[in-house]
Amino acid sequence: MSEELTPWTHEEFEAQLRAKSDMYHFNHPFHKLMHSGKMDRKQVQGWVANRFYYQTAIPVKDAAIMSNCTDREVRKHWVQRILDHDGHDGHGDEPADVGGIEAWLQLGEAVGLTREELMSEEHVLPSVRFAIDAYINFAKQRPWQEAASSSLTELFAPTIHKHRIDHWPEHYPWIEPQGYNYFKKRLHEAPRDVLNGLQITMDYYTTRSEQERMLGILQFKLDVLWTMCDAMWMAYVEKRPPYHMDV
């Protein structure tokens, strides 16, 4: 029998997770093209419309995690993620928040799509839908700790949001300013979510084999995001959409 490897320290484990950044969809050719300002209006609209399906899936995924979670303290913190995306009327000294889904609808309008188009999901590519649905099913079926830790692609998100805020107004001057509200919002929310997700991850994966399994879980989530970009590249760059869709 092979000897069990020594677990990574928290610092080493986090470094292993962060080393996955090269596989984040920011590095996909589709995103590189978009972030270099080389996409036309139709291509940007296609990304916004498909990504909206992901945005609407986030609170569903988080609700699935909470439905499996028996830890009251975790639920008290995790429910904030649902409120961040669905919005809330405010409570106590906390102001009301329209939520990330509403902010993404504003982005859709800013790039020339209607709310009806986004809500109808008429532009969602089959592979995009398949990948996101697989992620929701993962959150429903796996232990809540594993589903929660899969969210740690947020480790890499602030960079991509800041890049859009800093460069898109120059690259895509036709995008209305309200379109950037979502990215500005996530600059403040994502770091908080990362701390929460990291704590759960460090507490749950304590042996080396478990830690390595977590790297596989993070890779699964990275694959979901990458697959979405593969589908959009084929449809909007290669101009080879699914046979039954006219994009």
Side-chain angles (χ1 to χ4, degrees):
M1 179 179 290
S2 61
E3 184 178 348
E4 175 72 22
L5 295 173
T6 302
W8 289 311
T9 65
H10 284 191
E11 292 76 16
E12 291 170 336
F13 189 19
E14 182 175 341
Q16 291 286 335
L17 296 171
R18 290 187 180 276
K20 291 278 190 181
S21 63
D22 288 347
M23 302 175 193
Y24 190 52
H25 62 169
F26 183 78
N27 296 307
H28 191 284
F30 185 86
H31 268 282
K32 288 186 175 182
L33 192 69
M34 182 164 56
H35 289 300
S36 63
K38 296 178 181 178
M39 284 193 171
D40 60 30
R41 186 183 299 255
K42 193 75 172 178
Q43 290 169 325
V44 173
Q45 289 176 339
W47 174 75
V48 171
N50 278 273
R51 180 75 183 194
F52 181 69
Y53 187 66
Y54 179 80
Q55 300 307 131
T56 60
I58 291 174
V60 176
K61 174 266 298 183
D62 288 325
I65 292 172
M66 289 186 62
S67 73
N68 291 327
C69 179
T70 58
D71 190 319
R72 178 187 177 195
E73 290 303 312
V74 170
R75 294 198 305 269
K76 283 166 59 178
H77 290 286
W78 206 267
V79 70
Q80 184 61 50
R81 295 172 184 247
I82 297 176
L83 298 175
D84 286 343
H85 284 83
D86 282 343
H88 57 83
D89 295 332
H91 46 273
D93 295 330
E94 185 177 351
D97 181 2
V98 297
I101 292 176
E102 171 60 28
W104 202 272
L105 286 167
Q106 293 172 6
L107 172 61
E109 291 176 323
V111 301
L113 297 169
T114 67
R115 288 172 174 253
E116 290 72 24
E117 281 181 280
L118 291 173
M119 297 297 292
S120 72
E121 302 174 4
E122 62 190 82
H123 300 301
V124 178
L125 300 168
S127 295
V128 169
R129 187 184 301 276
F130 187 85
I132 295 170
D133 288 352
Y135 182 42
I136 293 175
N137 287 330
F138 176 85
K140 290 179 177 179
Q141 297 167 6
R142 299 303 301 164
W144 68 264
Q145 297 96 330
E146 294 185 8
S149 62
S150 71
S151 70
L152 280 179
T153 47
E154 294 162 342
L155 285 166
F156 320 121
T159 298
I160 203 169
H161 295 321
K162 190 172 189 309
H163 190 280
R164 291 164 184 157
I165 294 168
D166 290 344
H167 298 286
W168 279 23
E170 177 184 353
H171 291 327
Y172 305 110
W174 49 270
I175 297 179
E176 297 296 328
Q178 75 270 17
Y180 299 105
N181 290 340
Y182 177 84
F183 309 129
K184 294 175 182 177
K185 177 176 165 57
R186 289 305 294 165
L187 278 179
H188 303 290
E189 295 169 351
R192 178 208 63 206
D193 291 345
V194 164
L195 291 175
N196 182 224
L198 275 175
Q199 185 62 58
I200 292 170
T201 300
M202 296 303 163
D203 290 344
Y204 184 66
Y205 303 92
T206 57
T207 69
R208 181 65 169 273
S209 61
E210 290 172 343
Q211 292 170 334
E212 290 177 346
R213 183 160 56 86
M214 170 51 200
L215 295 180
I217 290 171
L218 182 58
Q219 186 61 56
F220 161 72
K221 174 61 183 306
L222 290 165
D223 289 346
V224 167
L225 298 172
W226 197 273
T227 297
M228 292 168 59
C229 291
D230 283 345
M232 287 184 275
W233 179 274
M234 288 295 293
Y236 305 123
V237 180
E238 297 291 337
K239 306 300 183 184
R240 296 173 61 188
Y243 66 93
H244 63 286
M245 294 184 73
D246 180 13
V247 299

